[in-house]
């Protein structure tokens, strides 16, 4: 059975297009085991203690450093356990929400989810699929003012996830009915 990691990044819990789309996508891919991570509940930003703990070899970390990395370790374990990531991506001010960026910072760890080699960086999480449920009032996906889709695609590839599909509802302020109808068609077309 497929294991899905559902990531919701919208600050809205009600009337959120990206959350509605992640629900539709998960339902389309079911039956599956689903782990849900709601980033609106908060994800800590990196700080000096986190950086120090992360760059201390695991066998040399103090108990305090291990505790500092406990959430990051749990978030990485969720990603590693999943076959498919379903990520709700509302575009805020042309980019990803701060909570999603904080989650990315917690999981993009050298030696854990990627490594550097003589030929460049290598992602360590290959063989996974990601489906991104994008919602935007008027920032069209792939346009010159969209700094979210390229970033999330690059970051996922950086950690080894190169099978990335976008379901887009990116014109909600312009034509919500047609935009939602298009997004539902994209969900229906997804391979289970």
């Amino acid at each position: 059975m497929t294991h899905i990691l559902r990531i919701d990044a919208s600050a809205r819990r009600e009337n959120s297009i990206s959350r509605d789309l992640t629900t539709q996508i998960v339902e389309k891919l079911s039956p599956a085991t689903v782990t849900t991570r709601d980033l609106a509940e908060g994800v800590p930003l990196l700080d000096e203690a986190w950086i120090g703990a992360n760059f201390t070899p695991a066998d040399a970390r103090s108990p305090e450093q291990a505790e500092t990395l406990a959430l990051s370790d749990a978030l990485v374990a969720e990603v590693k356990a999943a076959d498919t990531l379903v990520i709700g991506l509302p575009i805020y001010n042309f980019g990803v929400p701060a909570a999603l960026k904080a989650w990315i910072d917690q999981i993009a760890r050298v030696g854990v989810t990627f490594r550097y080699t003589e030929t460049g960086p290598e992602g360590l999480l290959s063989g996974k699929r990601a489906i991104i449920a994008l919602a935007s009032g008027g920032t069209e996906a792939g346009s010159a003012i969209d700094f979210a889709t390229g970033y999330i695609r690059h970051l996922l590839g950086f950690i080894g996830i190169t099978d990335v599909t976008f379901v887009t509802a990116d014109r909600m302020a312009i034509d919500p009915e047609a935009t939602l109808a298009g997004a539902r068609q994209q969900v229906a077309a997804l391979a289970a």
Side-chain angles (χ1 to χ4, degrees):
M1 180 179 293
T2 300
H3 186 157
I4 295 171
L5 173 59
R6 174 184 174 162
I7 304 289
D8 283 309
S10 177
R12 297 169 128 185
R13 289 203 170 84
E14 294 186 26
N15 302 316
S16 165
I17 301 303
S18 65
R19 286 176 187 271
D20 289 346
L21 289 173
T22 57
T23 296
Q24 291 175 38
I25 293 165
V26 168
E27 288 173 355
K28 166 72 177 178
L29 300 179
S30 288
T33 301
V34 180
T35 300
T36 300
R37 177 63 66 172
D38 188 344
L39 303 182
E41 294 174 2
V43 179
L45 300 176
L46 303 188
D47 60 14
E48 188 172 5
W50 190 98
I51 299 291
N54 186 55
F55 288 102
T56 299
D59 59 353
R61 288 183 189 136
S62 69
E64 294 79 16
Q65 288 176 316
E67 179 60 29
T68 297
L69 292 178
L71 175 62
S72 177
D73 290 340
L75 296 175
V76 168
E78 289 174 353
V79 175
K80 285 182 174 182
D83 304 302
T84 301
L85 282 67
V86 176
I87 301 174
L89 173 58
I91 293 183
Y92 291 171
N93 300 313
F94 314 107
V96 301
L100 184 57
K101 175 63 168 82
W103 177 80
I104 289 166
D105 288 344
Q106 292 283 342
I107 67 155
R109 291 176 52 191
V110 68
V112 179
T113 57
F114 71 93
R115 67 179 170 205
Y116 291 110
T117 70
E118 291 179 7
T119 58
E122 177 184 45
L124 300 176
L125 301 179
S126 61
K128 298 179 185 302
R129 172 186 187 193
I131 303 170
I132 313 302
L134 182 140
S136 173
T139 300
E140 188 175 351
S143 70
I145 61 171
D146 166 19
F147 300 102
T149 59
Y151 172 75
I152 198 73
R153 182 184 299 277
H154 176 81
L155 183 282
L156 290 169
F158 186 75
I159 62 174
I161 303 170
T162 57
D163 181 358
V164 180
T165 303
F166 286 88
V167 171
T168 58
D170 57 357
R171 298 175 53 84
M172 290 303 299
I174 299 160
D175 189 350
E177 290 178 21
T179 298
L180 288 176
R184 283 192 293 273
Q185 289 175 349
Q186 293 169 56
V187 171
L190 290 171

